[in-house]
Amino acid sequence: MPGGLGGSGGLGGSGAARGGRPAPWIPLPRTSVEDSGRPLPPLAELGEAAAPPPPREWEHPVLTSLLGAWALAACSAEETAAVEDHLGDCGPCADEARRLREAVGLLHRPESLDLDPGLRTRVLDSCLDRRPPRIPVPDWAGPYDAETARLDALLQDIRDSDWHTPVRLRWFEDEDMASRRTTVAGVIAHLLSVDGLVAVALGLDDPLGDHAGRAESPAARTEAYWGASHGPPTRAVRGPWREQSHDLVRTVAFAGSDRGTAMRPVSYGDFQLPLQDAMVDRAFECWVHAEDIAVAVDYPYAPPSPRDLHRMIDLAARTLPTVLAARRQAGLATPTQGRHLVPAGEPGRSLRLEIEGSGGGDWLIPLDSPAAKGSAEHEVAHIALDGVEFCRLAAGHVPPREAAAGRLGDATAIRDVLYATASLSRM
């Protein structure tokens, strides 16, 4: 079939193409000399073709024109070598090269203007090393002072619209996770109202004012504050919250190291904490909710310093025996199975809580009585967790069954302690 696809004028053929024109000639692939089986020609026969080219002669104007590219590290290896050899012999070009390099140093990408989060701590530590404060802040109030300052720095950076970004408060209640939807401004209102428990204990004004009523628990106070507002909280809540946090730190600082002040009871409705523990508790909640806000507005936020984190973990570990006993009375933990309560101060069955990472340590948790003494000789179980993971479990942000914990020993005791840790959380 002439001129058709089945004709002889195909690829590499010698037939005529359509219209009577000859088909284009396409050469067949060539065979490499290495694959032909024939020997390669000796190098001597190649003569001057095999010799390296003579070095290039670089003229002064050419080298001068390359100085800018050399300063920007944009020259080839050959050009760079030629320029640098020339700079050793030519003083004017060397001076010009130095000026160009200094100018290039000014063209680097501008660094972030945000201050290093650890700068405040380093500056204060340096100042206090040189001259102790006239009115020092007690050690147990340091975490609250640091965490409120870090949260306030976050709030300074966010936009006006971010204050209405949805945030979900999460905690663990009985045997399951619970949550409450609010906004960034609503979280600050929550911190303001619950910090008011410490303010009342110190004789300061209650942020709820006339709306306090019978709202004694943190959740009841938060709902009362939210309900008393004419509209959803706005960024205006930042001022009262920060002013109150300053007042709390200032008041405990002026009280000095008086033991009576540190042990003054702070009521949370159905339980009490001494003031020194309540301040650490408020620092812990400030950090947890600051992380909630940071996640909502996509803001980087680091854990507390190791020293402050250790205080928070220690408070949680000391509270666990009481919470474990309360869960057992409510039927939420395994009964003691006929064992007698251990007399106060006596050693009893214990679980070793090992917290790894910064701020960590070891704690022996008595299992059968809050008044018992933790004992290594009576250790029946061992749990190992990262410090931040333990705190998130205690904040109700990690379900107990999903906690990344190393476990060894009595499985029932381990389960009870993990659930008791999650039960430390509240709204």
Side-chain angles (χ1 to χ4, degrees):
M1 194 162 54
L5 294 175
S8 60
L11 191 61
S14 58
R18 291 178 181 171
R21 291 177 298 179
W25 180 80
I26 300 176
L28 294 173
R30 296 181 180 179
T31 304
S32 172
V33 67
E34 289 89 348
D35 298 332
S36 65
R38 292 178 295 175
L40 296 175
L43 191 62
E45 295 181 3
L46 297 177
E48 296 182 357
R56 179 179 175 182
E57 293 292 336
W58 297 86
E59 297 181 358
H60 184 274
V62 175
L63 294 170
T64 303
S65 67
L66 289 174
L67 290 178
W70 173 85
L72 293 168
C75 288
S76 66
E78 183 184 10
E79 293 170 340
T80 300
V83 169
E84 291 178 353
D85 286 344
H86 178 68
L87 295 181
D89 300 329
C90 182
C93 284
D95 292 339
E96 179 67 13
R98 178 179 56 81
R99 286 193 292 269
L100 290 172
R101 271 288 169 90
E102 292 174 352
V104 169
L106 300 175
L107 298 177
H108 65 82
R109 186 176 181 178
E111 299 178 356
S112 172
L113 297 179
D114 292 339
L115 296 178
D116 180 358
L119 179 61
R120 178 178 184 271
T121 300
R122 294 198 300 271
V123 170
L124 288 177
D125 288 345
S126 175
C127 293
L128 296 178
D129 286 342
R130 297 187 179 188
R131 186 178 66 181
R134 185 170 60 88
I135 304 176
V137 175
D139 290 342
W140 42 266
Y144 179 79
D145 187 24
E147 291 308 308
T148 51
R150 292 207 306 145
L151 174 54
D152 191 52
L154 184 160
L155 298 177
Q156 284 181 338
D157 281 353
I158 65 176
R159 302 165 298 183
D160 289 349
S161 59
D162 288 334
W163 283 85
H164 304 289
T165 301
V167 179
R168 186 168 293 278
L169 302 179
R170 296 171 290 163
W171 68 96
F172 187 80
E173 191 171 297
D174 295 335
E175 295 291 284
D176 205 357
M177 305 297 291
S179 65
R180 179 74 155 77
R181 184 184 173 90
T182 183
T183 63
V184 170
V187 173
I188 303 304
H190 167 61
L191 291 174
L192 170 67
S193 58
V194 182
D195 285 357
L197 293 170
V198 181
V200 171
L202 289 173
L204 302 175
D205 293 337
D206 190 336
L208 267 66
D210 298 335
H211 300 285
R214 299 179 60 85
E216 298 178 351
S217 69
R221 288 178 61 85
T222 301
E223 296 291 353
Y225 189 93
W226 286 344
S229 303
H230 297 293
T234 65
R235 67 172 301 148
V237 74
R238 177 190 167 202
W241 166 76
R242 194 65 178 119
E243 183 179 356
Q244 178 179 256
S245 66
H246 282 146
D247 288 343
L248 293 179
V249 174
R250 188 181 304 111
T251 301
V252 298
F254 275 101
S257 58
D258 177 40
R259 181 67 178 170
T261 301
M263 299 306 296
R264 180 179 298 183
V266 177
S267 175
Y268 282 73
D270 53 353
F271 68 95
Q272 290 184 343
L273 287 176
L275 178 61
Q276 61 181 7
D277 287 347
M279 292 295 285
V280 176
D281 170 79
R282 301 314 307 143
F284 175 76
E285 186 165 1
C286 183
W287 163 46
V288 169
H289 290 321
E291 275 201 338
D292 292 336
I293 294 173
V295 170
V297 300
D298 195 20
Y299 188 98
Y301 207 77
S305 67
R307 178 178 56 187
D308 294 345
L309 191 63
H310 181 82
R311 284 186 174 272
M312 298 174 190
I313 295 171
D314 178 69
L315 173 60
R318 289 188 287 109
T319 310
L320 275 177
T322 302
V323 175
L324 186 58
R327 285 180 56 83
R328 186 173 290 122
Q329 291 177 358
L332 299 175
T334 307
T336 55
Q337 299 177 351
R339 296 183 181 90
H340 295 290
L341 291 178
V342 178
E346 294 295 323
R349 285 193 322 139
S350 303
L351 177 142
R352 181 178 296 277
L353 176 63
E354 179 185 353
I355 303 300
E356 302 170 338
S358 61
D362 281 8
W363 287 264
L364 287 167
I365 311 299
L367 298 172
D368 296 327
S369 171
K373 180 181 179 181
S375 170
E377 296 179 357
H378 296 79
E379 181 180 323
V380 299
H382 186 169
I383 301 177
L385 295 96
D386 174 74
V388 175
E389 178 79 358
F390 174 79
C391 288
R392 287 174 178 157
L393 174 63
H397 285 197
V398 177
R401 57 186 174 274
E402 298 178 10
R407 314 174 191 206
L408 180 66
D410 189 334
T412 301
I414 291 172
R415 179 191 181 279
D416 287 345
V417 170
L418 289 176
Y419 273 76
T421 303
S423 297
L424 292 170
S425 64
R426 58 182 181 272
M427 187 179 87

